[in-house]
């Protein structure tokens, strides 16, 4: 009978030991995942903050451009947002740099609309 009780105790102890190791492993994995998620959240919050700063700066520049446009007679048309992004333009670039970076096909469309034809399309 003592031999049977000893085997049962050994099995129970081994099962307890394995359960403790599994628990420790699960806790460690959970801590690692939590740290990774917290780091990703911090990075995304920093990125969001930076993007909000850029949006605020662009809004203030747009207000400045609009207010100066209202106070002047010669207006410089702004590119649409998608065109400005495609050409990597910013609102604080001089007009001649902005115009020089307009793709040739856009200039051609403007010339045709004004009654002027691009070279070779007469």
């Amino acid at each position: 009978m003592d031999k049977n009780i000893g085997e049962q105790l050994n099995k129970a102890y081994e099962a307890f030991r394995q359960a403790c190791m599994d628990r420790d492993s699960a806790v460690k994995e959970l801590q690692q995942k939590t740290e990774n998620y917290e780091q990703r959240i911090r990075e995304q919050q920093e990125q969001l903050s930076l993007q909000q700063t850029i949006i605020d700066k662009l809004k203030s520049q747009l207000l400045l451009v609009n207010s100066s446009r209202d106070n002047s007679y010669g207006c410089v048309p702004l590119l649409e947002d998608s065109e400005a992004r495609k050409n990597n333009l910013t609102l604080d670039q001089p007009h001649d740099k902005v115009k020089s970076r307009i793709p040739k096909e856009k200039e051609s469309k403007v010339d045709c609309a004004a009654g002027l034809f691009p070279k070779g399309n007469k």
Side-chain angles (χ1 to χ4, degrees):
M1 203 88 169
D2 290 331
K3 187 175 182 185
N4 194 14
I5 293 175
E7 287 178 20
Q8 288 178 345
L9 284 174
N10 282 339
K11 286 181 182 180
Y13 174 75
E14 188 58 37
F16 174 75
R17 188 174 157 272
Q18 185 62 43
C20 288
M21 289 187 333
D22 291 346
R23 181 202 61 204
D24 292 345
S25 176
V27 167
K28 188 174 184 178
E29 182 181 353
L30 181 61
Q31 286 174 338
Q32 184 64 40
K33 285 183 178 184
T34 301
E35 289 172 9
N36 288 342
Y37 287 135
E38 288 173 350
Q39 178 64 28
R40 286 177 54 193
I41 288 170
R42 280 192 298 274
E43 290 170 359
Q44 289 176 346
Q45 286 174 333
E46 289 173 12
Q47 186 179 13
L48 198 60
S49 175
L50 177 63
Q51 288 174 345
Q52 187 60 50
T53 303
I54 292 170
I55 288 170
D56 292 342
K57 181 180 176 184
L58 290 173
K59 281 182 180 179
S60 67
Q61 288 177 347
L62 184 60
L63 287 173
L64 181 64
V65 167
N66 285 340
S67 67
S68 67
R69 183 183 294 167
D70 292 341
N71 295 332
S72 66
Y73 292 105
C75 296
V76 177
L78 293 176
L79 293 174
E80 292 180 15
D81 287 344
S82 60
E83 293 179 66
R85 275 195 297 274
K86 183 171 72 176
N87 295 311
N88 296 321
L89 300 175
T90 62
L91 291 176
D92 46 23
Q93 288 179 320
H95 173 64
D96 57 338
K97 285 187 180 179
V98 172
K99 186 173 180 183
S100 69
R101 294 185 65 181
I102 296 175
K104 292 295 180 193
E105 69 256 6
K106 296 253 184 243
E107 287 181 24
S108 298
K109 289 178 186 175
V110 171
D111 289 345
C112 290
L116 303 172
F117 297 98
K119 295 178 184 177
N121 288 357
K122 292 186 177 183

